[in-house]
Amino acid sequence: MTGLSIENISMRFDLPNGSFVQALKDVSLDLGKGELMSVLGPSGCGKTTLLNIVAGFLAPTDGRIVLNGHTVQGPNAERGMVFQQGALFEWMSVRENVEFGPRMKGTPVSERRQSADHLLEITGLKDFKDKAIYELSGGMQQRVALARCLANDPDVILMDEPLGALDALTREKMQGLVLKLWKETGKTIILITHSVEEALLLGERLLVMAPRPGRIHREYRLPFAELGVDQDLREVKKHPEFGKTREEILSMIWEMEEEIMGRTEDA
Ligand SMILES: Nc1ncnc2c1ncn2[C@@H]1O[C@H](COP(=O)(O)OP(=O)(O)O)[C@@H](O)[C@H]1O
Ligand SMILES: [Mg+2]
């Protein structure tokens, strides 16, 4: 059995004052090998919590995560994480960052070198391999984060707003890179984003979550990620269906946020 199953996941955080937050309630989802899913939803709807549970950083209150037939018990290299920023080793070079996982695993030097060279090539980092992390721009650092994650050859890649800190132009380039890496490596990817456009571009499947309690609100299956592998992303955005779906999702999220505001004001 290959693929990722999120089975009836609920997560409740008990607070010191005796109250609790129901961060997730009964979230179920199957993701086939090689599928690319983006996740959207208002702030606080449990996106990061869900990703942390899939990563094995958090144990759910209820439910389980099954990957390739076995239940997830904790963090493991089969599930790689890419954060928004700050998770690189600043004191190591680009190459050393990319080779870190394989080195820890005891992969022979020549083998890990070769694999790192390939990853540095496809992420556009070849000419930067000896630079220190602090010498790189934010976009280049996220390239390193992607390459370092791929170097562990995970089955699933989990990304929590990986492009959220980048300027618009760099972000667009990086969106193209994510699509290219997805196609070249055939990895299963879950990508959280705040941007509706990014979710449309980077999700064959797009999940809209709703808050209080965090749950799945709606799922879309979209053609744009596949189109974006070969086409300019600006062209993809001109697709009539793209604009229509964007407006639909924007209204959906607006309504949720209005409702949250309303409830907060009433309280
Ligand atoms: N460790 C924690 N303790 C208590 N509450 C938490 C904790 N982590 C997250 N929460 C709460 O759970 C809800 C979901 O949070 P999160 O998953 O970070 O949402 P998102 O990533 O969608 O913005 C929020 O109400 C948040 O305050
Ligand atoms: Mg979050």
Side-chain angles (χ1 to χ4, degrees), residues 7 23 25 36 48 58 78 101 103 131 153 158 163 178 180 200 202 215 221 231 238 241 245 250:
E7 297 181 357
K25 184 145 177 61
L36 172 57
T48 295
L58 270 177
E78 70 190 6
R103 182 156 69 84
K131 294 241 185 260
D153 197 24
L158 306 167
L163 312 181
V178 169
K180 178 181 151 197
L200 289 165
L202 301 186
R215 61 196 186 276
R221 288 192 181 254
Q231 257 180 53
K238 288 183 193 152
E241 204 59 31
T245 318
L250 275 171

Side-chain angles (χ1 to χ4, degrees), residues 53-251:
I53 291 172
V54 176
F57 298 147
L58 270 177
T61 322
D62 270 302
R64 60 177 196 154
I65 306 293
V66 179
L67 177 60
N68 300 335
H70 67 266
T71 303
V72 162
Q73 304 285 7
N76 184 294
E78 70 190 6
R79 283 160 280 122
M81 193 93 166
V82 178
F83 299 94
Q84 187 175 99
Q85 59 189 146
L88 296 169
F89 302 123
E90 296 274 336
W91 61 93
M92 290 184 190
S93 70
V94 168
R95 172 193 279 290
E96 285 165 341
N97 266 276
V98 176
E99 283 189 19
F100 182 79
R103 182 156 69 84
M104 288 295 111
K105 222 172 57 181
T107 309
V109 181
S110 61
E111 196 180 313
R112 66 178 199 243
R113 234 348 74 110
Q114 203 180 354
S115 141
D117 278 340
H118 174 65
L119 288 168
L120 292 167
E121 173 84 44
I122 62 175
T123 48
L125 287 165
K126 208 173 75 180
D127 298 335
F128 298 82
K129 60 179 188 293
D130 297 320
K131 294 241 185 260
I133 297 304
Y134 63 82
E135 293 180 275
L136 303 181
S137 65
M140 294 309 266
Q141 292 194 8
Q142 284 313 79
R143 286 172 192 263
V144 181
L146 284 168
R148 194 181 64 172
C149 177
L150 285 167
N152 293 316
D153 197 24
D155 290 318
V156 179
I157 301 181
L158 306 167
M159 306 200 208
D160 197 352
E161 306 197 27
L163 312 181
L166 306 177
D167 65 86
L169 274 178
T170 307
R171 188 166 185 160
E172 202 174 272
K173 275 196 204 154
M174 293 295 288
Q175 290 166 345
L177 178 63
V178 169
L179 289 178
K180 178 181 151 197
L181 293 176
W182 166 56
K183 266 292 131 170
E184 280 203 32
T185 63
K187 299 291 179 195
T188 310
I189 302 177
I190 303 180
L191 182 144
I192 294 176
T193 174
H194 257 111
S195 153
V196 176
E197 284 211 339
E198 187 164 279
L200 289 165
L201 285 172
L202 301 186
E204 312 176 85
R205 292 172 67 180
L206 187 164
L207 204 65
V208 182
M209 289 180 65
R212 305 184 182 194
R215 61 196 186 276
I216 296 175
H217 181 67
R218 172 107 197 242
E219 191 190 327
Y220 291 84
R221 288 192 181 254
L222 302 166
F224 311 116
E226 197 62 57
L227 290 174
V229 172
D230 302 312
Q231 257 180 53
D232 190 318
L233 298 188
R234 303 245 171 106
E235 291 305 312
V236 176
K237 288 185 201 171
K238 288 183 193 152
H239 204 290
E241 204 59 31
F242 191 95
K244 193 171 144 265
T245 318
R246 181 185 57 213
E247 293 313 308
E248 186 178 306
I249 294 176
L250 275 171
S251 317

Side-chain angles (χ1 to χ4, degrees), residues 13-15 21 23 41-50 160-161 192:
F13 292 109
D14 291 310
L15 305 177
V21 178
S43 192
C45 71
K47 303 180 294 296
T48 295
T49 302
L50 183 61
D160 197 352
E161 306 197 27
I192 294 176

Side-chain angles (χ1 to χ4, degrees), residues 23-44:
L24 294 169
K25 184 145 177 61
D26 243 337
V27 174
S28 291
L29 177 79
D30 286 316
L31 210 59
K33 184 172 161 45
E35 281 192 310
L36 172 57
M37 170 176 270
S38 57
V39 183
L40 271 175
S43 192

